[in-house]
């Protein structure tokens, strides 16, 4: 009998990066089709221009550095598609092209490519475009889900991603069930956002938006910019929810989802480092924090004696 010796993990699953990426592209197709119905030809032009710019930039960089061409994994196409979705439909066609070039060239490859970048390339592109061309990136209208029909088709949507909350929620839940998207981040993100919004008195009509669900299911769950540990993902989702509600309460929830997630990317590595499981026999995270707090108390010696007794 022949045995194969290999490094862990030894449990094989039929889930690959390529399948996950193309599944997300397919999941975003209903939103794209509804945006074409609502916004017409401009939506098609923005999406096509954005995807082409992302693909060309990816090929040019990989050719320049003698790297393997990886267009077939769908990552550049997904980034280009999502960049177009965070742009107002009335924007000129060169805006998503510049955004995709920035997302692929700076947001992705400048940090080392897939798995190495710190900020989600789509969020980085949105922040760059918003700072450079704020008047163009400001939508003519902001959505508000005041009726059931708005959940199906939001006629006041300001971005392509905001045309239909249900068209994002249903495919997003399917991705979670297929395990292409990890459930801890979107669930903790959603619960935190709803509870905090109710606590501060914000109407849910400003919270349950297509753009917000797009951020929860497709931006916050990016594997490169979210924590690896299970506890870290829950904490990360809570942090995302807090940042989005704080910004949305004082401004608006459309911009809040992008700025909130961008800021959450900054603390993702910190959350990961503090939630890594310890080796067998070592102190847990709570035990380490407890000892640190006790060591700073002025009466620590007396307290330790009392606790030991």
């Amino acid at each position: 009998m022949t045995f194969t010796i290999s490094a862990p993990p030894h449990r094989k699953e039929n889930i690959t990066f390529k399948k996950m990426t193309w599944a997300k592209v397919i999941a975003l197709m209903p939103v794209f089709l509804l945006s074409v119905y609502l916004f017409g030809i401009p939506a098609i032009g923005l999406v096509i221009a954005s995807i082409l710019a992302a693909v060309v930039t990816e090929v040019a960089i990989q050719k320049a550095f003698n790297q393997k061409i990886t267009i077939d994994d769908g990552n550049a196409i997904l980034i280009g598609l999502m960049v177009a979705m965070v742009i107002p439909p009335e924007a000129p066609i060169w805006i998503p092209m510049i955004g995709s070039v920035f997302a692929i060239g700076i947001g992705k490859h400048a940090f080392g490519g897939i798995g190495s970048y710190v900020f989600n390339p789509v969020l980085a592109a949105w922040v760059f475009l918003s700072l450079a061309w704020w008047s163009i990136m400001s939508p003519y209208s902001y959505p508000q889900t005041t009726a059931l029909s708005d959940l199906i088709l939001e006629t006041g949507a300001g971005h392509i991603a905001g045309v239909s909350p249900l068209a994002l929620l249903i495919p997003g839940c399917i991705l979670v069930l297929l395990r292409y998207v990890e459930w801890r981040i979107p669930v903790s993100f959603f619960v935190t956002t709803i509870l905090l919004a109710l606590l501060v008195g914000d109407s849910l009509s400003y919270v349950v938006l297509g753009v917000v669900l797009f951020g929860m299911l497709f931006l916050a769950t990016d594997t490169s910019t979210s924590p690896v540990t299970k506890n870290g993902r829950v904490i990360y989702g809570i942090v995302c929810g807090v940042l989005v509600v704080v910004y949305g309460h004082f401004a608006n929830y459309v911009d809040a989802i992008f700025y909130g997630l961008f800021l959450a990317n900054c603390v993702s590595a910190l959350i990961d480092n503090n939630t890594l499981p310890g080796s067998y026999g070592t102190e847990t995270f709570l035990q380490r924090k407890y000892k640190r707090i006790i060591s700073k108390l002025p009466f620590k010696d007396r307290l330790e004696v009392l606790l030991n007794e």
Side-chain angles (χ1 to χ4, degrees):
M1 181 181 294
T2 302
F3 293 94
T4 301
I5 300 175
S6 63
H10 301 295
R11 182 179 179 182
K12 304 297 182 181
E13 294 186 2
N14 193 27
I15 299 177
T16 63
F17 176 77
K18 183 176 181 179
K19 287 184 178 180
M20 292 170 58
T21 304
W22 282 110
K24 291 180 180 179
V25 172
I26 295 172
L28 291 172
M29 285 298 103
V31 178
F32 168 64
L33 295 176
L34 286 174
S35 69
V36 173
Y37 171 78
L38 187 63
F39 301 123
I41 299 300
I44 300 178
L46 291 178
V47 171
I48 292 178
S50 185
I51 292 176
L52 286 177
V55 170
V56 170
T57 305
E58 177 104 323
V59 172
I61 292 175
Q62 291 176 338
K63 283 280 190 182
F65 292 94
N66 295 320
Q67 298 175 351
K68 179 183 177 181
I69 305 299
T70 58
I71 297 301
D72 61 333
D73 65 9
N75 185 252
I77 295 174
L78 177 62
I79 290 176
L81 176 60
M82 291 199 293
V83 167
M85 288 190 166
V86 300
I87 292 175
E90 59 272 5
I93 199 169
W94 53 268
I95 283 287
M97 296 179 70
I98 293 178
S100 289
V101 171
F102 185 91
I104 297 294
I106 305 299
K108 178 182 176 181
H109 284 284
F111 288 92
I114 295 172
S116 300
Y117 49 80
V118 179
F119 299 100
N120 188 310
V122 179
L123 293 173
W126 184 86
V127 171
F128 169 73
L129 293 173
S130 296
L131 293 176
W133 297 281
W134 177 253
S135 59
I136 296 177
M137 289 295 292
S138 298
Y140 290 164
S141 63
Y142 285 92
Q144 182 181 358
T145 54
T146 56
L148 180 61
S149 59
D150 293 329
L151 295 174
I152 301 172
L153 184 65
E154 174 52 73
T155 56
H159 297 81
I160 292 178
V163 296
S164 175
L166 281 181
L168 286 162
L169 181 60
I170 295 175
C173 290
I174 293 174
L175 291 178
V176 172
L177 292 175
L178 293 175
R179 300 178 64 186
Y180 290 160
V181 170
E182 219 279 336
W183 64 270
R184 288 176 177 83
I185 293 176
V187 170
S188 58
F189 192 166
F190 181 79
V191 172
T192 303
T193 303
I194 296 298
L195 292 180
L196 280 183
L198 292 174
L199 184 64
V200 299
D202 290 343
S203 174
L204 293 184
S205 61
Y206 294 103
V207 180
V208 188
L209 305 175
V211 175
V212 176
L213 294 176
F214 175 72
M216 289 180 182
L217 294 166
F218 293 92
L219 294 177
T221 56
D222 178 62
T223 53
S224 296
T225 55
S226 58
V228 176
T229 63
K230 294 179 180 180
N231 292 335
R233 289 169 180 170
V234 175
I235 296 173
Y236 181 75
I238 294 173
V239 171
C240 291
V242 171
L243 291 173
V244 168
V245 172
V246 168
Y247 193 99
H249 178 70
F250 294 101
N252 63 80
Y253 278 89
V254 174
D255 292 342
I257 190 67
F258 301 129
Y259 278 127
L261 291 178
F262 187 79
L263 292 175
N265 286 170
C266 299
V267 298
S268 177
L270 177 65
I271 294 173
D272 241 348
N273 291 335
N274 285 279
T275 54
L276 289 173
S279 303
Y280 180 77
T282 59
E283 294 179 335
T284 65
F285 171 75
L286 292 177
Q287 288 173 331
R288 293 196 302 270
K289 293 299 180 184
Y290 167 77
K291 282 194 172 182
R292 181 177 298 179
I293 294 173
I294 292 297
S295 64
K296 294 181 179 179
L297 295 177
F299 49 88
K300 60 178 181 178
D301 296 333
R302 184 180 303 177
L303 182 62
E304 287 179 357
V305 172
L306 291 175
L307 292 176
N308 290 332
E309 291 179 354

